[in-house]
Amino acid sequence: MKQLTLFFLTILMTTSCNSNSEESSNENKLASISEAVYGKLADGRETSIFTLKNAKGMEVTITNYGGKIITWTAPDRDGNYENVNLGMTKLEDYFDGASFFGTLVGRFGNRIGNAKFSLDGEEFQLVANNGVNNLHSGGFGVDKNLWDAEIVDSENPTLKLTTVSPDGAGGFPGNLSATVTYTLMPDDALKIDYKATTDKPTVVNMTNHSYFNLGGFERDVLGHEVTIHADTYLPVDKGLIPFGMPESVAGTPFDFTTSHVIGDRINDTTDTQISRGGGYDHAWVFTDKSDEMKLGASVYEPTTGRVMEVYTTEPAVQFYTGNFLTGNLTGHKGVNYKKRWGFCLETEHYPDAPNKPDYPSTTLRPGETYETTTMYKFSAK
């Protein structure tokens, strides 16, 4: 009798293992990456759009024009996946005012004061496109490049993009060879790996500039609840350039060490920094100073239950609340992207670092490799 029982248990276990193996195999088959024509640039070059899907239902579309994320779905508490990434409906819409939506930013993301910096005793004059300052490489960044694209893996959807920012582009020295790899993970996380090398000393600070609205564009983002694991931030001058070392967030509207609703303090114009940024447009310096992957920030949208966690190897994050959106851009669902209709969490080194020797260095030299990773993970509660 014992032998007969053991026989049936063995059959049951084998069947269960086979079933689990088949389920795992089926899940892998559901994950995919595909390519289609997206449109043409003004010079006639054809662009592509890549659709990355995982087995759970997340879908991310990315074009090789600037590495821009066009759509990005995430689950609500009922398991419904909906786009949460502000973007435009066609390629041409990205050529002007919407150029930074969802894009890769480099070679230097954020601002450089007075549009110039010195390196090894030589001064480099950049393009001033934000008052007297340089913002996101002054219109000569990799967000304007048509990147070479390679599908690396379809079962674990991976897209590898490569480009060269030529010596002198926007005033920056050195031919910068950049590689960015997007990997859609099985657990609804998108991992972004950045690498770059140069043939001359230069400065590098790459990031992703996606605007998020976890409510699916039904309302602005003021009701989102944000946590940033940073006990200091960088105050800025009237041109939004940091003017000193990081200062404590304690007792200020910049304290997100515990969860706060974005709208609670964003209009506190008695705070000089809020007034200068028109809300939040500052860099927070993570309490964890290591270059290991760590949880830097999280966002919760109570209406849908969506949660976004941001993990990164970077030392800081620029939290921007769409203060300069005016409603003149119409994107997905025919929505006019009005003021504060989206927020950004741009992982990065400090703004104006090339002019601040006390900040973590953004200098890259020949023979060195710039490497950084950021991951955006979605869930619901």
PDB file of all heavy atoms in Angstrom, residues 12-45:
ATOM      1  N   LEU A  12       2.038  12.732  -9.227  1.00  0.00           N
ATOM      2  CA  LEU A  12       1.461  14.039  -8.954  1.00  0.00           C
ATOM      3  C   LEU A  12       2.533  15.126  -8.981  1.00  0.00           C
ATOM      4  O   LEU A  12       2.361  16.193  -9.577  1.00  0.00           O
ATOM      5  CB  LEU A  12       0.761  14.029  -7.590  1.00  0.00           C
ATOM      6  CG  LEU A  12       0.068  15.345  -7.155  1.00  0.00           C
ATOM      7  CD1 LEU A  12      -1.024  15.703  -8.140  1.00  0.00           C
ATOM      8  CD2 LEU A  12      -0.496  15.197  -5.745  1.00  0.00           C
ATOM      9  N   MET A  13       3.685  14.845  -8.352  1.00  0.00           N
ATOM     10  CA  MET A  13       4.766  15.824  -8.302  1.00  0.00           C
ATOM     11  C   MET A  13       5.330  16.085  -9.690  1.00  0.00           C
ATOM     12  O   MET A  13       5.626  17.213 -10.067  1.00  0.00           O
ATOM     13  CB  MET A  13       5.879  15.346  -7.361  1.00  0.00           C
ATOM     14  CG  MET A  13       5.478  15.354  -5.891  1.00  0.00           C
ATOM     15  SD  MET A  13       6.736  14.639  -4.837  1.00  0.00           S
ATOM     16  CE  MET A  13       8.070  15.807  -5.065  1.00  0.00           C
ATOM     17  N   THR A  14       5.471  15.022 -10.475  1.00  0.00           N
ATOM     18  CA  THR A  14       6.001  15.168 -11.829  1.00  0.00           C
ATOM     19  C   THR A  14       5.076  16.011 -12.689  1.00  0.00           C
ATOM     20  O   THR A  14       5.500  16.901 -13.423  1.00  0.00           O
ATOM     21  CB  THR A  14       6.191  13.788 -12.483  1.00  0.00           C
ATOM     22  OG1 THR A  14       7.066  13.027 -11.665  1.00  0.00           O
ATOM     23  CG2 THR A  14       6.771  13.921 -13.880  1.00  0.00           C
ATOM     24  N   THR A  15       3.757  15.746 -12.549  1.00  0.00           N
ATOM     25  CA  THR A  15       2.773  16.499 -13.309  1.00  0.00           C
ATOM     26  C   THR A  15       2.795  17.966 -12.919  1.00  0.00           C
ATOM     27  O   THR A  15       2.734  18.861 -13.760  1.00  0.00           O
ATOM     28  CB  THR A  15       1.349  15.927 -13.053  1.00  0.00           C
ATOM     29  OG1 THR A  15       1.349  14.551 -13.409  1.00  0.00           O
ATOM     30  CG2 THR A  15       0.317  16.673 -13.876  1.00  0.00           C
ATOM     31  N   SER A  16       2.911  18.209 -11.574  1.00  0.00           N
ATOM     32  CA  SER A  16       2.953  19.581 -11.087  1.00  0.00           C
ATOM     33  C   SER A  16       4.174  20.313 -11.614  1.00  0.00           C
ATOM     34  O   SER A  16       4.085  21.443 -12.062  1.00  0.00           O
ATOM     35  CB  SER A  16       2.958  19.590  -9.557  1.00  0.00           C
ATOM     36  OG  SER A  16       3.097  20.891  -9.064  1.00  0.00           O
ATOM     37  N   CYS A  17       5.335  19.652 -11.584  1.00  0.00           N
ATOM     38  CA  CYS A  17       6.569  20.280 -12.070  1.00  0.00           C
ATOM     39  C   CYS A  17       6.473  20.602 -13.552  1.00  0.00           C
ATOM     40  O   CYS A  17       6.871  21.664 -14.001  1.00  0.00           O
ATOM     41  CB  CYS A  17       7.774  19.364 -11.816  1.00  0.00           C
ATOM     42  SG  CYS A  17       8.235  19.274 -10.068  1.00  0.00           S
ATOM     43  N   ASN A  18       5.906  19.625 -14.299  1.00  0.00           N
ATOM     44  CA  ASN A  18       5.746  19.853 -15.733  1.00  0.00           C
ATOM     45  C   ASN A  18       4.815  21.024 -15.998  1.00  0.00           C
ATOM     46  O   ASN A  18       5.037  21.832 -16.896  1.00  0.00           O
ATOM     47  CB  ASN A  18       5.205  18.594 -16.419  1.00  0.00           C
ATOM     48  CG  ASN A  18       6.259  17.494 -16.500  1.00  0.00           C
ATOM     49  OD1 ASN A  18       7.457  17.778 -16.382  1.00  0.00           O
ATOM     50  ND2 ASN A  18       5.827  16.258 -16.684  1.00  0.00           N
ATOM     51  N   SER A  19       3.746  21.096 -15.178  1.00  0.00           N
ATOM     52  CA  SER A  19       2.781  22.181 -15.340  1.00  0.00           C
ATOM     53  C   SER A  19       3.441  23.523 -15.069  1.00  0.00           C
ATOM     54  O   SER A  19       3.253  24.479 -15.811  1.00  0.00           O
ATOM     55  CB  SER A  19       1.598  21.969 -14.386  1.00  0.00           C
ATOM     56  OG  SER A  19       0.716  23.053 -14.448  1.00  0.00           O
ATOM     57  N   ASN A  20       4.234  23.578 -13.961  1.00  0.00           N
ATOM     58  CA  ASN A  20       4.917  24.829 -13.636  1.00  0.00           C
ATOM     59  C   ASN A  20       5.899  25.214 -14.723  1.00  0.00           C
ATOM     60  O   ASN A  20       6.046  26.371 -15.081  1.00  0.00           O
ATOM     61  CB  ASN A  20       5.663  24.705 -12.305  1.00  0.00           C
ATOM     62  CG  ASN A  20       4.714  24.640 -11.118  1.00  0.00           C
ATOM     63  OD1 ASN A  20       3.584  25.105 -11.219  1.00  0.00           O
ATOM     64  ND2 ASN A  20       5.172  24.076 -10.003  1.00  0.00           N
ATOM     65  N   SER A  21       6.580  24.183 -15.261  1.00  0.00           N
ATOM     66  CA  SER A  21       7.547  24.445 -16.324  1.00  0.00           C
ATOM     67  C   SER A  21       6.850  24.987 -17.559  1.00  0.00           C
ATOM     68  O   SER A  21       7.329  25.919 -18.207  1.00  0.00           O
ATOM     69  CB  SER A  21       8.307  23.154 -16.663  1.00  0.00           C
ATOM     70  OG  SER A  21       9.179  23.370 -17.738  1.00  0.00           O
ATOM     71  N   GLU A  22       5.670  24.398 -17.877  1.00  0.00           N
ATOM     72  CA  GLU A  22       4.919  24.853 -19.036  1.00  0.00           C
ATOM     73  C   GLU A  22       4.422  26.280 -18.829  1.00  0.00           C
ATOM     74  O   GLU A  22       4.448  27.107 -19.749  1.00  0.00           O
ATOM     75  CB  GLU A  22       3.727  23.919 -19.289  1.00  0.00           C
ATOM     76  CG  GLU A  22       4.150  22.557 -19.857  1.00  0.00           C
ATOM     77  CD  GLU A  22       2.965  21.611 -19.986  1.00  0.00           C
ATOM     78  OE1 GLU A  22       1.832  22.065 -19.731  1.00  0.00           O
ATOM     79  OE2 GLU A  22       3.179  20.435 -20.321  1.00  0.00           O
ATOM     80  N   GLU A  23       3.954  26.591 -17.573  1.00  0.00           N
ATOM     81  CA  GLU A  23       3.476  27.936 -17.290  1.00  0.00           C
ATOM     82  C   GLU A  23       4.608  28.946 -17.460  1.00  0.00           C
ATOM     83  O   GLU A  23       4.431  30.014 -18.029  1.00  0.00           O
ATOM     84  CB  GLU A  23       2.915  28.013 -15.868  1.00  0.00           C
ATOM     85  CG  GLU A  23       1.564  27.317 -15.710  1.00  0.00           C
ATOM     86  CD  GLU A  23       1.083  27.360 -14.276  1.00  0.00           C
ATOM     87  OE1 GLU A  23       1.725  28.065 -13.469  1.00  0.00           O
ATOM     88  OE2 GLU A  23       0.079  26.712 -13.958  1.00  0.00           O
ATOM     89  N   SER A  24       5.798  28.570 -16.928  1.00  0.00           N
ATOM     90  CA  SER A  24       6.946  29.463 -17.060  1.00  0.00           C
ATOM     91  C   SER A  24       7.298  29.672 -18.519  1.00  0.00           C
ATOM     92  O   SER A  24       7.579  30.783 -18.961  1.00  0.00           O
ATOM     93  CB  SER A  24       8.139  28.874 -16.301  1.00  0.00           C
ATOM     94  OG  SER A  24       9.278  29.663 -16.494  1.00  0.00           O
ATOM     95  N   SER A  25       7.247  28.558 -19.285  1.00  0.00           N
ATOM     96  CA  SER A  25       7.567  28.653 -20.707  1.00  0.00           C
ATOM     97  C   SER A  25       6.558  29.524 -21.432  1.00  0.00           C
ATOM     98  O   SER A  25       6.915  30.348 -22.279  1.00  0.00           O
ATOM     99  CB  SER A  25       7.594  27.257 -21.332  1.00  0.00           C
ATOM    100  OG  SER A  25       7.813  27.331 -22.706  1.00  0.00           O
ATOM    101  N   ASN A  26       5.273  29.374 -21.064  1.00  0.00           N
ATOM    102  CA  ASN A  26       4.236  30.177 -21.703  1.00  0.00           C
ATOM    103  C   ASN A  26       4.418  31.657 -21.383  1.00  0.00           C
ATOM    104  O   ASN A  26       4.198  32.521 -22.232  1.00  0.00           O
ATOM    105  CB  ASN A  26       2.847  29.716 -21.227  1.00  0.00           C
ATOM    106  CG  ASN A  26       2.451  28.377 -21.844  1.00  0.00           C
ATOM    107  OD1 ASN A  26       2.962  28.011 -22.901  1.00  0.00           O
ATOM    108  ND2 ASN A  26       1.569  27.649 -21.178  1.00  0.00           N
ATOM    109  N   GLU A  27       4.829  31.945 -20.114  1.00  0.00           N
ATOM    110  CA  GLU A  27       5.045  33.334 -19.749  1.00  0.00           C
ATOM    111  C   GLU A  27       6.159  33.940 -20.589  1.00  0.00           C
ATOM    112  O   GLU A  27       6.064  35.070 -21.062  1.00  0.00           O
ATOM    113  CB  GLU A  27       5.381  33.443 -18.257  1.00  0.00           C
ATOM    114  CG  GLU A  27       4.160  33.261 -17.351  1.00  0.00           C
ATOM    115  CD  GLU A  27       4.490  33.531 -15.902  1.00  0.00           C
ATOM    116  OE1 GLU A  27       5.668  33.809 -15.609  1.00  0.00           O
ATOM    117  OE2 GLU A  27       3.583  33.466 -15.073  1.00  0.00           O
ATOM    118  N   ASN A  28       7.247  33.175 -20.778  1.00  0.00           N
ATOM    119  CA  ASN A  28       8.356  33.667 -21.582  1.00  0.00           C
ATOM    120  C   ASN A  28       7.910  33.946 -23.010  1.00  0.00           C
ATOM    121  O   ASN A  28       8.353  34.896 -23.640  1.00  0.00           O
ATOM    122  CB  ASN A  28       9.512  32.667 -21.583  1.00  0.00           C
ATOM    123  CG  ASN A  28      10.270  32.676 -20.254  1.00  0.00           C
ATOM    124  OD1 ASN A  28      10.246  33.670 -19.545  1.00  0.00           O
ATOM    125  ND2 ASN A  28      10.925  31.586 -19.936  1.00  0.00           N
ATOM    126  N   LYS A  29       7.010  33.076 -23.522  1.00  0.00           N
ATOM    127  CA  LYS A  29       6.536  33.258 -24.884  1.00  0.00           C
ATOM    128  C   LYS A  29       5.691  34.518 -25.013  1.00  0.00           C
ATOM    129  O   LYS A  29       5.621  35.117 -26.078  1.00  0.00           O
ATOM    130  CB  LYS A  29       5.724  32.030 -25.331  1.00  0.00           C
ATOM    131  CG  LYS A  29       6.578  30.787 -25.583  1.00  0.00           C
ATOM    132  CD  LYS A  29       5.716  29.607 -25.971  1.00  0.00           C
ATOM    133  CE  LYS A  29       6.560  28.353 -26.191  1.00  0.00           C
ATOM    134  NZ  LYS A  29       5.741  27.178 -26.513  1.00  0.00           N
ATOM    135  N   LEU A  30       5.044  34.918 -23.915  1.00  0.00           N
ATOM    136  CA  LEU A  30       4.210  36.106 -23.954  1.00  0.00           C
ATOM    137  C   LEU A  30       5.041  37.384 -23.981  1.00  0.00           C
ATOM    138  O   LEU A  30       4.582  38.415 -24.432  1.00  0.00           O
ATOM    139  CB  LEU A  30       3.273  36.132 -22.739  1.00  0.00           C
ATOM    140  CG  LEU A  30       2.129  35.112 -22.759  1.00  0.00           C
ATOM    141  CD1 LEU A  30       1.412  35.098 -21.422  1.00  0.00           C
ATOM    142  CD2 LEU A  30       1.149  35.409 -23.883  1.00  0.00           C
ATOM    143  N   ALA A  31       6.271  37.308 -23.469  1.00  0.00           N
ATOM    144  CA  ALA A  31       7.156  38.468 -23.521  1.00  0.00           C
ATOM    145  C   ALA A  31       7.714  38.601 -24.932  1.00  0.00           C
ATOM    146  O   ALA A  31       8.045  37.609 -25.581  1.00  0.00           O
ATOM    147  CB  ALA A  31       8.296  38.306 -22.520  1.00  0.00           C
ATOM    148  N   SER A  32       7.809  39.846 -25.424  1.00  0.00           N
ATOM    149  CA  SER A  32       8.238  40.021 -26.810  1.00  0.00           C
ATOM    150  C   SER A  32       8.763  41.434 -27.034  1.00  0.00           C
ATOM    151  O   SER A  32       8.562  42.328 -26.214  1.00  0.00           O
ATOM    152  CB  SER A  32       7.075  39.748 -27.772  1.00  0.00           C
ATOM    153  OG  SER A  32       6.048  40.720 -27.599  1.00  0.00           O
ATOM    154  N   ILE A  33       9.427  41.613 -28.171  1.00  0.00           N
ATOM    155  CA  ILE A  33       9.831  42.926 -28.638  1.00  0.00           C
ATOM    156  C   ILE A  33       9.705  42.946 -30.150  1.00  0.00           C
ATOM    157  O   ILE A  33      10.077  41.982 -30.825  1.00  0.00           O
ATOM    158  CB  ILE A  33      11.270  43.276 -28.185  1.00  0.00           C
ATOM    159  CG1 ILE A  33      11.670  44.668 -28.671  1.00  0.00           C
ATOM    160  CG2 ILE A  33      12.255  42.243 -28.629  1.00  0.00           C
ATOM    161  CD1 ILE A  33      12.974  45.157 -28.045  1.00  0.00           C
ATOM    162  N   SER A  34       9.128  43.997 -30.682  1.00  0.00           N
ATOM    163  CA  SER A  34       8.901  44.077 -32.123  1.00  0.00           C
ATOM    164  C   SER A  34       9.280  45.467 -32.626  1.00  0.00           C
ATOM    165  O   SER A  34       9.356  46.425 -31.851  1.00  0.00           O
ATOM    166  CB  SER A  34       7.446  43.771 -32.472  1.00  0.00           C
ATOM    167  OG  SER A  34       6.570  44.684 -31.825  1.00  0.00           O
ATOM    168  N   GLU A  35       9.481  45.579 -33.930  1.00  0.00           N
ATOM    169  CA  GLU A  35       9.899  46.830 -34.556  1.00  0.00           C
ATOM    170  C   GLU A  35       8.944  47.203 -35.676  1.00  0.00           C
ATOM    171  O   GLU A  35       8.466  46.333 -36.413  1.00  0.00           O
ATOM    172  CB  GLU A  35      11.323  46.690 -35.109  1.00  0.00           C
ATOM    173  CG  GLU A  35      11.838  47.938 -35.818  1.00  0.00           C
ATOM    174  CD  GLU A  35      13.245  47.758 -36.382  1.00  0.00           C
ATOM    175  OE1 GLU A  35      13.775  46.626 -36.300  1.00  0.00           O
ATOM    176  OE2 GLU A  35      13.802  48.743 -36.906  1.00  0.00           O
ATOM    177  N   ALA A  36       8.662  48.497 -35.803  1.00  0.00           N
ATOM    178  CA  ALA A  36       7.836  48.995 -36.903  1.00  0.00           C
ATOM    179  C   ALA A  36       8.362  50.374 -37.316  1.00  0.00           C
ATOM    180  O   ALA A  36       9.086  51.028 -36.563  1.00  0.00           O
ATOM    181  CB  ALA A  36       6.377  49.101 -36.473  1.00  0.00           C
ATOM    182  N   VAL A  37       7.993  50.804 -38.500  1.00  0.00           N
ATOM    183  CA  VAL A  37       8.367  52.141 -38.976  1.00  0.00           C
ATOM    184  C   VAL A  37       7.574  53.175 -38.186  1.00  0.00           C
ATOM    185  O   VAL A  37       6.369  53.034 -37.990  1.00  0.00           O
ATOM    186  CB  VAL A  37       8.084  52.287 -40.477  1.00  0.00           C
ATOM    187  CG1 VAL A  37       8.347  53.718 -40.925  1.00  0.00           C
ATOM    188  CG2 VAL A  37       8.946  51.310 -41.280  1.00  0.00           C
ATOM    189  N   TYR A  38       8.260  54.232 -37.730  1.00  0.00           N
ATOM    190  CA  TYR A  38       7.608  55.259 -36.925  1.00  0.00           C
ATOM    191  C   TYR A  38       7.355  56.539 -37.720  1.00  0.00           C
ATOM    192  O   TYR A  38       6.355  57.223 -37.515  1.00  0.00           O
ATOM    193  CB  TYR A  38       8.458  55.553 -35.689  1.00  0.00           C
ATOM    194  CG  TYR A  38       7.802  56.477 -34.694  1.00  0.00           C
ATOM    195  CD1 TYR A  38       6.479  56.265 -34.272  1.00  0.00           C
ATOM    196  CD2 TYR A  38       8.493  57.547 -34.154  1.00  0.00           C
ATOM    197  CE1 TYR A  38       5.880  57.104 -33.357  1.00  0.00           C
ATOM    198  CE2 TYR A  38       7.900  58.390 -33.229  1.00  0.00           C
ATOM    199  CZ  TYR A  38       6.600  58.166 -32.837  1.00  0.00           C
ATOM    200  OH  TYR A  38       6.001  59.005 -31.922  1.00  0.00           O
ATOM    201  N   GLY A  39       8.270  56.881 -38.608  1.00  0.00           N
ATOM    202  CA  GLY A  39       8.139  58.104 -39.392  1.00  0.00           C
ATOM    203  C   GLY A  39       9.487  58.507 -39.945  1.00  0.00           C
ATOM    204  O   GLY A  39      10.475  57.793 -39.793  1.00  0.00           O
ATOM    205  N   LYS A  40       9.525  59.674 -40.601  1.00  0.00           N
ATOM    206  CA  LYS A  40      10.766  60.149 -41.198  1.00  0.00           C
ATOM    207  C   LYS A  40      11.167  61.497 -40.626  1.00  0.00           C
ATOM    208  O   LYS A  40      10.329  62.346 -40.330  1.00  0.00           O
ATOM    209  CB  LYS A  40      10.614  60.259 -42.719  1.00  0.00           C
ATOM    210  CG  LYS A  40      10.529  58.907 -43.425  1.00  0.00           C
ATOM    211  CD  LYS A  40      10.508  59.082 -44.927  1.00  0.00           C
ATOM    212  CE  LYS A  40      10.473  57.725 -45.637  1.00  0.00           C
ATOM    213  NZ  LYS A  40      10.471  57.878 -47.117  1.00  0.00           N
ATOM    214  N   LEU A  41      12.485  61.670 -40.486  1.00  0.00           N
ATOM    215  CA  LEU A  41      13.023  62.953 -40.071  1.00  0.00           C
ATOM    216  C   LEU A  41      12.989  63.919 -41.252  1.00  0.00           C
ATOM    217  O   LEU A  41      12.736  63.517 -42.391  1.00  0.00           O
ATOM    218  CB  LEU A  41      14.446  62.785 -39.555  1.00  0.00           C
ATOM    219  CG  LEU A  41      14.624  61.835 -38.361  1.00  0.00           C
ATOM    220  CD1 LEU A  41      16.096  61.755 -37.959  1.00  0.00           C
ATOM    221  CD2 LEU A  41      13.769  62.260 -37.180  1.00  0.00           C
ATOM    222  N   ALA A  42      13.276  65.176 -40.987  1.00  0.00           N
ATOM    223  CA  ALA A  42      13.220  66.196 -42.041  1.00  0.00           C
ATOM    224  C   ALA A  42      14.188  65.893 -43.177  1.00  0.00           C
ATOM    225  O   ALA A  42      13.939  66.256 -44.331  1.00  0.00           O
ATOM    226  CB  ALA A  42      13.525  67.571 -41.443  1.00  0.00           C
ATOM    227  N   ASP A  43      15.295  65.195 -42.870  1.00  0.00           N
ATOM    228  CA  ASP A  43      16.270  64.860 -43.915  1.00  0.00           C
ATOM    229  C   ASP A  43      15.962  63.547 -44.622  1.00  0.00           C
ATOM    230  O   ASP A  43      16.749  63.061 -45.429  1.00  0.00           O
ATOM    231  CB  ASP A  43      17.682  64.824 -43.326  1.00  0.00           C
ATOM    232  CG  ASP A  43      17.832  63.779 -42.210  1.00  0.00           C
ATOM    233  OD1 ASP A  43      16.921  62.959 -42.028  1.00  0.00           O
ATOM    234  OD2 ASP A  43      18.876  63.806 -41.517  1.00  0.00           O
ATOM    235  N   GLY A  44      14.800  62.951 -44.312  1.00  0.00           N
ATOM    236  CA  GLY A  44      14.367  61.749 -45.004  1.00  0.00           C
ATOM    237  C   GLY A  44      14.738  60.447 -44.337  1.00  0.00           C
ATOM    238  O   GLY A  44      14.284  59.379 -44.767  1.00  0.00           O
ATOM    239  N   ARG A  45      15.544  60.490 -43.268  1.00  0.00           N
ATOM    240  CA  ARG A  45      15.913  59.247 -42.597  1.00  0.00           C
ATOM    241  C   ARG A  45      14.707  58.638 -41.877  1.00  0.00           C
ATOM    242  O   ARG A  45      13.917  59.345 -41.265  1.00  0.00           O
ATOM    243  CB  ARG A  45      17.048  59.497 -41.600  1.00  0.00           C
ATOM    244  CG  ARG A  45      18.412  59.730 -42.236  1.00  0.00           C
ATOM    245  CD  ARG A  45      19.466  59.985 -41.172  1.00  0.00           C
ATOM    246  NE  ARG A  45      19.191  61.214 -40.427  1.00  0.00           N
ATOM    247  CZ  ARG A  45      19.763  61.529 -39.272  1.00  0.00           C
ATOM    248  NH1 ARG A  45      20.653  60.695 -38.733  1.00  0.00           N
ATOM    249  NH2 ARG A  45      19.458  62.664 -38.670  1.00  0.00           N
TER     250      ARG A  45
END
